[in-house]
mmCIF file of all heavy atoms in Angstrom:
data_model
loop_
_atom_site.group_PDB
_atom_site.id
_atom_site.type_symbol
_atom_site.label_atom_id
_atom_site.label_comp_id
_atom_site.label_asym_id
_atom_site.label_seq_id
_atom_site.Cartn_x
_atom_site.Cartn_y
_atom_site.Cartn_z
ATOM 1 N N ILE F 267 -16.997 38.662 19.121
ATOM 2 C CA ILE F 267 -16.491 39.993 19.653
ATOM 3 C C ILE F 267 -17.527 40.496 20.542
ATOM 4 O O ILE F 267 -18.602 40.676 20.195
ATOM 5 C CB ILE F 267 -16.090 40.880 18.587
ATOM 6 C CG1 ILE F 267 -14.965 40.330 17.641
ATOM 7 C CG2 ILE F 267 -15.755 42.287 19.072
ATOM 8 C CD1 ILE F 267 -14.643 41.228 16.461
ATOM 9 N N ARG F 268 -16.980 40.773 21.869
ATOM 10 C CA ARG F 268 -17.976 41.330 22.833
ATOM 11 C C ARG F 268 -17.292 42.544 23.487
ATOM 12 O O ARG F 268 -16.061 42.579 23.426
ATOM 13 C CB ARG F 268 -18.306 40.264 23.914
ATOM 14 C CG ARG F 268 -18.966 38.944 23.281
ATOM 15 C CD ARG F 268 -19.054 37.973 24.373
ATOM 16 N NE ARG F 268 -20.199 38.103 25.212
ATOM 17 C CZ ARG F 268 -21.413 37.682 25.136
ATOM 18 N NH1 ARG F 268 -21.736 36.917 24.013
ATOM 19 N NH2 ARG F 268 -22.363 37.902 25.944
ATOM 20 N N TYR F 269 -18.047 43.517 23.938
ATOM 21 C CA TYR F 269 -17.492 44.614 24.611
ATOM 22 C C TYR F 269 -17.793 44.560 26.036
ATOM 23 O O TYR F 269 -18.731 43.948 26.550
ATOM 24 C CB TYR F 269 -18.040 45.928 23.898
ATOM 25 C CG TYR F 269 -19.528 46.256 24.182
ATOM 26 C CD1 TYR F 269 -19.927 46.766 25.385
ATOM 27 C CD2 TYR F 269 -20.469 46.041 23.229
ATOM 28 C CE1 TYR F 269 -21.282 47.105 25.607
ATOM 29 C CE2 TYR F 269 -21.822 46.255 23.348
ATOM 30 C CZ TYR F 269 -22.248 46.808 24.545
ATOM 31 O OH TYR F 269 -23.532 47.137 24.814
ATOM 32 N N GLN F 270 -16.805 45.159 26.829
ATOM 33 C CA GLN F 270 -16.904 45.265 28.242
ATOM 34 C C GLN F 270 -16.448 46.646 28.755
ATOM 35 O O GLN F 270 -15.609 47.177 28.157
ATOM 36 C CB GLN F 270 -16.021 44.234 28.890
ATOM 37 C CG GLN F 270 -16.048 44.058 30.442
ATOM 38 C CD GLN F 270 -17.338 43.658 30.928
ATOM 39 O OE1 GLN F 270 -18.213 44.624 31.084
ATOM 40 N NE2 GLN F 270 -17.585 42.420 31.163
ATOM 41 N N TRP F 271 -17.068 47.116 29.832
ATOM 42 C CA TRP F 271 -16.645 48.404 30.442
ATOM 43 C C TRP F 271 -15.252 48.270 31.076
ATOM 44 O O TRP F 271 -14.956 47.232 31.634
ATOM 45 C CB TRP F 271 -17.721 48.908 31.397
ATOM 46 C CG TRP F 271 -18.865 49.517 30.691
ATOM 47 C CD1 TRP F 271 -19.033 50.772 30.230
ATOM 48 C CD2 TRP F 271 -20.026 48.803 30.325
ATOM 49 N NE1 TRP F 271 -20.286 50.873 29.576
ATOM 50 C CE2 TRP F 271 -20.968 49.663 29.669
ATOM 51 C CE3 TRP F 271 -20.495 47.464 30.434
ATOM 52 C CZ2 TRP F 271 -22.185 49.381 29.146
ATOM 53 C CZ3 TRP F 271 -21.763 47.072 29.922
ATOM 54 C CH2 TRP F 271 -22.572 48.049 29.232
ATOM 55 N N LYS F 272 -14.584 49.404 31.110
ATOM 56 C CA LYS F 272 -13.176 49.444 31.784
ATOM 57 C C LYS F 272 -13.439 49.542 33.279
ATOM 58 O O LYS F 272 -14.539 49.842 33.660
ATOM 59 C CB LYS F 272 -12.401 50.559 31.199
ATOM 60 C CG LYS F 272 -12.093 50.440 29.729
ATOM 61 C CD LYS F 272 -11.059 51.496 29.235
ATOM 62 C CE LYS F 272 -10.720 51.269 27.766
ATOM 63 N NZ LYS F 272 -9.702 52.286 27.198
ATOM 64 N N ASP F 273 -12.313 49.523 33.943
ATOM 65 C CA ASP F 273 -12.304 49.457 35.402
ATOM 66 C C ASP F 273 -11.503 50.612 35.897
ATOM 67 O O ASP F 273 -10.300 50.515 36.089
ATOM 68 C CB ASP F 273 -11.805 48.143 36.008
ATOM 69 C CG ASP F 273 -11.722 48.156 37.480
ATOM 70 O OD1 ASP F 273 -12.352 48.981 38.163
ATOM 71 O OD2 ASP F 273 -10.913 47.337 37.906
ATOM 72 N N TYR F 274 -12.062 51.865 36.108
ATOM 73 C CA TYR F 274 -11.295 52.996 36.479
ATOM 74 C C TYR F 274 -11.040 53.094 37.964
ATOM 75 O O TYR F 274 -10.078 53.737 38.332
ATOM 76 C CB TYR F 274 -11.902 54.230 35.947
ATOM 77 C CG TYR F 274 -11.874 54.407 34.493
ATOM 78 C CD1 TYR F 274 -13.097 54.325 33.632
ATOM 79 C CD2 TYR F 274 -10.723 54.575 33.690
ATOM 80 C CE1 TYR F 274 -13.076 54.536 32.279
ATOM 81 C CE2 TYR F 274 -10.619 54.630 32.408
ATOM 82 C CZ TYR F 274 -11.797 54.667 31.706
ATOM 83 O OH TYR F 274 -11.703 54.759 30.271
ATOM 84 N N ASP F 275 -11.813 52.433 38.714
ATOM 85 C CA ASP F 275 -11.496 52.508 40.170
ATOM 86 C C ASP F 275 -10.735 51.464 40.774
ATOM 87 O O ASP F 275 -10.420 51.411 41.886
ATOM 88 C CB ASP F 275 -12.946 52.622 41.028
ATOM 89 C CG ASP F 275 -13.865 51.391 40.639
ATOM 90 O OD1 ASP F 275 -13.389 50.348 40.168
ATOM 91 O OD2 ASP F 275 -15.066 51.456 41.054
ATOM 92 N N GLY F 276 -10.350 50.485 39.879
ATOM 93 C CA GLY F 276 -9.492 49.440 40.243
ATOM 94 C C GLY F 276 -9.950 48.401 41.245
ATOM 95 O O GLY F 276 -9.107 47.793 41.902
ATOM 96 N N ASP F 277 -11.297 48.215 41.261
ATOM 97 C CA ASP F 277 -11.785 47.296 42.209
ATOM 98 C C ASP F 277 -11.935 45.859 41.609
ATOM 99 O O ASP F 277 -12.432 44.933 42.271
ATOM 100 C CB ASP F 277 -13.208 47.708 42.735
ATOM 101 C CG ASP F 277 -14.253 47.726 41.615
ATOM 102 O OD1 ASP F 277 -13.903 47.530 40.496
ATOM 103 O OD2 ASP F 277 -15.453 48.023 41.975
ATOM 104 N N GLY F 278 -11.484 45.727 40.331
ATOM 105 C CA GLY F 278 -11.532 44.360 39.792
ATOM 106 C C GLY F 278 -12.741 44.139 39.069
ATOM 107 O O GLY F 278 -13.042 42.954 38.515
#
Side-chain angles (χ1 to χ4, degrees):
I267 294 177
R268 303 174 74 95
Y269 69 81
Q270 182 63 275
W271 282 272
K272 296 186 177 182
D273 174 23
Y274 289 115
D275 58 15
D277 65 353

